[in-house]
Amino acid sequence: LWELRSNGSWTDVSRSAGYSMTQQGCWDFARFGDNIIAVSCSLNPQRFEMGVSTTFEDLGGSPPAGRSVKVLRDQVFISGLSSDPTKIVWSALNDITGWTEGVDQAGAQTFPDVGECHGVYGANVGYVFFDRAIYIAQYVGPPLVWQFDKISDGRGAISRQMIAEFGDVIFFLSEDGFWMLQGGQLTPIGHEKVDYTILTDLHRARVWLASCTVDPVRKLVLFSYPSVTEPEAGCTRIAAYSWPTQRWTEVIYECPLLVPARTFGYNLD
């Protein structure tokens, strides 16, 4: 794990024991106050407190290992658990180290028959993505704490690498094409435009290489993915969608990773 400093330099902030990951392993991050929480596959969730920590360390409370982490309201959600990919867990209220179910509103929920969980998205209201379903998550307080209602049955996301969010809008690729989710409403955005072409071209066995992000200035969502025409290459295709104009374009470019980022500021000196 690395930290990008304000002077443009990179600093290794990994825990002292280091990490052992598979080729398909990747990190997911969430911020809770001054704390950065990082999760990856079967590794213990990590914590880094800005302004205090010099390296990451295991997150307290013995939370389960998972592929995705998200903050909703005042609680941390971990999903894609290595022990049960259909289960999500959430922390105690305003306590990232409280993971005992039933204590201070910490809890868990298992979702049968909808496939693997690909993550929790949203802010005050959450959306939980699976292979074959999408649930809306709403805070209702004790004893349930969070209520989950299915808003899409039979349609989910291909992988968490093909889900991007910006504000209250979520873009994702499903088995039947590209969709936009806003306010609990699903809108197809690739039908009779790019759906068939990209679903045919996508290298399913290497979809873990894919990535996507949103360019809020140009109002674009970009999906980088591996192509079956180049089975040994990385991601060599980028599908870009402009939501104001509802138009698509394709970019042929080798792109290892798409991330949202800002350039460093400059002064007149």
Side-chain angles (χ1 to χ4, degrees):
L1 290 168
W2 294 77
E3 179 186 20
L4 178 60
R5 299 287 173 85
S6 58
N7 61 4
S9 64
W10 290 91
T11 301
D12 187 351
V13 290
S14 304
R15 68 182 182 187
S16 57
Y19 306 103
S20 178
M21 301 172 66
T22 66
Q23 183 184 27
Q24 299 185 22
C26 58
W27 290 99
D28 193 32
F29 299 88
R31 178 175 177 175
F32 189 97
D34 290 332
N35 293 279
I36 303 299
I37 302 168
V39 301
S40 179
C41 303
S42 59
L43 299 174
N44 292 333
Q46 300 290 288
R47 172 189 185 181
F48 184 95
E49 186 175 358
M50 294 183 291
V52 177
S53 302
T54 56
T55 61
F56 274 89
E57 60 184 15
D58 286 357
L59 177 61
S62 301
R67 295 180 180 274
S68 299
V69 60
K70 177 69 176 180
V71 174
L72 288 182
R73 295 174 63 93
D74 298 314
Q75 293 172 281
V76 178
F77 282 71
I78 297 178
S79 57
L81 306 187
S82 57
S83 59
D84 184 352
T86 69
K87 183 179 181 179
I88 66 173
V89 298
W90 58 89
S91 71
L93 195 66
N94 278 314
D95 182 5
I96 63 174
T97 63
W99 294 93
T100 303
E101 291 184 31
V103 177
D104 295 333
Q105 302 190 36
Q109 179 74 42
T110 301
F111 300 81
D113 305 322
V114 291
E116 180 179 341
C117 181
H118 296 303
V120 180
Y121 301 83
N124 290 323
V125 173
Y127 296 95
V128 190
F129 280 76
F130 296 86
D131 289 331
R132 298 182 296 277
I134 304 171
Y135 286 79
I136 185 171
Q138 301 181 83
Y139 179 79
V140 295
L144 291 178
V145 185
W146 287 89
Q147 177 174 309
F148 300 92
D149 297 298
K150 188 182 292 186
I151 61 171
S152 175
D153 189 6
R155 176 182 297 115
I158 282 181
S159 77
R160 71 180 185 89
Q161 286 85 0
M162 298 297 274
I163 307 173
E165 64 177 331
F166 175 64
D168 65 341
V169 185
I170 302 170
F171 304 91
F172 66 98
L173 178 63
S174 183
E175 289 290 351
D176 61 351
F178 286 97
W179 292 79
M180 179 177 72
L181 174 60
Q182 184 175 26
Q185 300 298 314
L186 285 165
T187 303
I189 59 175
H191 181 60
E192 295 186 346
K193 295 177 182 178
V194 299
D195 284 350
Y196 177 79
T197 300
I198 293 178
L199 286 170
T200 303
D201 188 39
L202 176 65
H203 197 313
R204 299 300 184 95
R206 296 169 64 83
V207 71
W208 55 272
L209 289 170
S211 60
C212 59
T213 192
V214 171
D215 181 340
V217 176
R218 296 175 177 82
K219 294 181 172 58
L220 295 172
V221 56
L222 303 103
F223 297 87
S224 174
Y225 66 93
S227 170
V228 293
T229 62
E230 300 175 85
E232 302 303 319
C235 295
T236 57
R237 303 287 190 274
I238 300 176
Y241 175 70
S242 167
W243 64 85
T245 64
Q246 300 180 19
R247 297 179 63 182
W248 288 86
T249 190
E250 182 185 43
V251 179
I252 308 299
Y253 181 78
E254 187 165 358
C255 177
L257 182 66
L258 284 172
V259 295
R262 295 179 179 176
T263 57
F264 292 110
Y266 293 90
N267 59 47
L268 296 179
D269 295 331

